[in-house]
């Protein structure tokens, strides 16, 4: 039996039939989207608490700060393309082994890679919703209005406050996706956690939930996480290389793209 973590992870993936992936910001760094804690990251000059949901709703200055951040940083997310890690998870789904991707990310890159069942527990930043009438618009439309000088864009239909469909700090998480994520973690046979520091709850709690329900746990991350001690295998490395190698070894017949 191999002692190499990649080999052991591949054996678990090869033997599993109901895999659930839990992904975090680290799966998208190789696509050029910075993660949360990087020194040069998107939040280095803005404190996201400044535009927490309660502040955002009541204070025009908080909304202006949010949209200034958006004008500066959202183009990086918009330009990003899926990488080998997103592609490997899409391949596992196509092979009928992966039930869904539960993601904390708001960048839309899993869907862009071809994943069909993506449970977005922190929402999706590629769309914007009116808090009054509920109308949704593509984020790009609002970004274009920011570029023309608007600083607190309003709903074109009713004048209501517009907010990203990504969950802000202090905003309730979407109930349906969150409850589905826990159902899936409780009934999978392998939880594959990729590129998450596993410190943001309730997402991080999906790991012990799956373990307690009898699933194997594989954690792929650049650095150690608090749940490494309960993982069956931890792979310390970049998500793109690690997932491509694991999926290639586990599904040798299946083309990745
Ligand atoms: P996090 O920033 O707390 O942790 C990311 C983890 O990924 C770190 O432990 C880091 O070492 C690791 N990592 C970085 N690059 C990696 C790579 N190439 N391969 C493997 N591991 C890598 O992210 P989180 O746990 O997702 O929590 C942060 C919160 O911020 C989440 O709510 C998330 O939705 C949000 N966020 C999302 C995006 C996005 O949508 N892409 C980007 C930044 C933050």
């Amino acid at each position: 039996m191999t002692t190499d973590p990649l080999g052991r992870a591949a054996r678990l993936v090869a033997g599993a039939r109901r895999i659930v992936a839990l992904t975090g910001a680290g799966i998208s760094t190789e696509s050029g989207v910075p993660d949360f804690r990087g020194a040069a990251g998107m939040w280095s000059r803005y404190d996201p608490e400044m535009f927490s949901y309660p502040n955002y709703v009541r204070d025009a200055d908080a909304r202006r700060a949010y949209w200034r951040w958006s004008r500066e940083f959202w183009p990086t997310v918009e330009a990003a393309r899926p990488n080998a890690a997103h592609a490997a998870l899409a391949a596992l789904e196509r092979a009928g082994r992966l039930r869904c991707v539960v993601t904390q990310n708001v960048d839309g890159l899993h869907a862009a890679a071809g994943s069909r069942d993506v449970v977005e527990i922190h929402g999706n930043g590629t769309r914007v919703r009116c808090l009054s009438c509920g109308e949704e618009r593509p984020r790009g439309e609002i970004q274009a209005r920011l570029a023309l000088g608007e600083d607190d864009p309003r709903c074109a239909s009713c004048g209501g406050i517009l907010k990203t469909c990504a969950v802000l700090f202090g905003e309730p998480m979407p109930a349906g996706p969150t409850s589905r994520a826990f159902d899936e973690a409780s009934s999978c046979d392998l939880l594959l956690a990729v590129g998450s520091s596993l410190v943001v709850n309730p997402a991080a709690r999906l790991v012990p939930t799956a373990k307690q329900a009898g699933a194997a746990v594989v954690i792929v991350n650049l650095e150690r996480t608090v749940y490494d001690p309960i993982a069956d295998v931890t792979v310390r490395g970049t998500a793109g290389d690690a997932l491509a190698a694991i999926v290639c070894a586990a599904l040798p017949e299946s083309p990745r793209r």
Side-chain angles (χ1 to χ4, degrees), residues 37-41 44:
R37 292 174 174 77
S44 53

Side-chain angles (χ1 to χ4, degrees), residues 23-30 33-37 42-43 104-107 122 195-200 220-225 237-240:
T23 66
I27 199 170
S28 293
T29 56
E30 291 162 77
V33 182
D35 63 10
F36 197 61
R37 292 174 174 77
M42 287 198 267
W43 304 109
Q104 301 171 79
N105 294 345
V106 300
D107 53 29
H122 292 170
S196 173
S197 56
L198 298 177
V199 295
V200 178
V220 176
N221 206 52
L222 271 184
E223 53 192 15
R224 72 177 304 283
T225 78
T238 55

Side-chain angles (χ1 to χ4, degrees), residues 55-134:
N55 287 347
Y56 190 90
V57 170
R58 71 167 172 250
D59 180 3
D61 282 342
R63 293 195 291 279
R64 288 192 192 98
Y66 176 82
W67 291 116
R68 267 200 308 282
W69 168 85
S70 181
R71 194 170 167 190
E72 188 170 355
F73 285 107
W74 191 259
T76 304
V77 182
E78 230 165 15
R81 294 295 167 260
N83 64 52
H86 298 104
L89 293 181
L92 265 186
E93 185 186 37
R94 277 197 305 277
R97 303 297 191 82
L98 181 135
R99 289 177 55 151
C100 62
V101 176
V102 175
T103 189
Q104 301 171 79
N105 294 345
V106 300
D107 53 29
L109 290 178
H110 285 298
S115 283
R116 276 172 297 204
D117 197 348
V118 184
V119 182
E120 293 176 314
I121 55 178
H122 292 170
N124 186 315
T126 68
R127 302 197 57 84
V128 167
R129 183 185 298 128
C130 171
L131 294 181
S132 298
C133 72

Side-chain angles (χ1 to χ4, degrees), residues 143-211:
Q143 293 289 127
R145 286 168 56 185
L146 298 176
L148 290 174
E150 287 188 51
D151 61 357
D152 179 16
R154 293 305 185 113
C155 175
S157 299
C158 77
I161 292 171
L162 292 177
K163 190 194 80 68
T164 170
C165 293
V167 173
L168 296 181
F169 279 86
E171 180 176 1
M173 289 174 59
T178 304
S179 117
R180 164 128 196 259
F182 278 90
D183 288 347
E184 295 289 358
S186 305
S187 59
C188 66
D189 58 3
L190 171 63
L191 186 92
L192 185 53
V194 185
S196 173
S197 56
L198 298 177
V199 295
V200 178
N201 280 318
R205 282 207 301 275
L206 292 166
V207 177
T209 297
K211 185 72 184 174

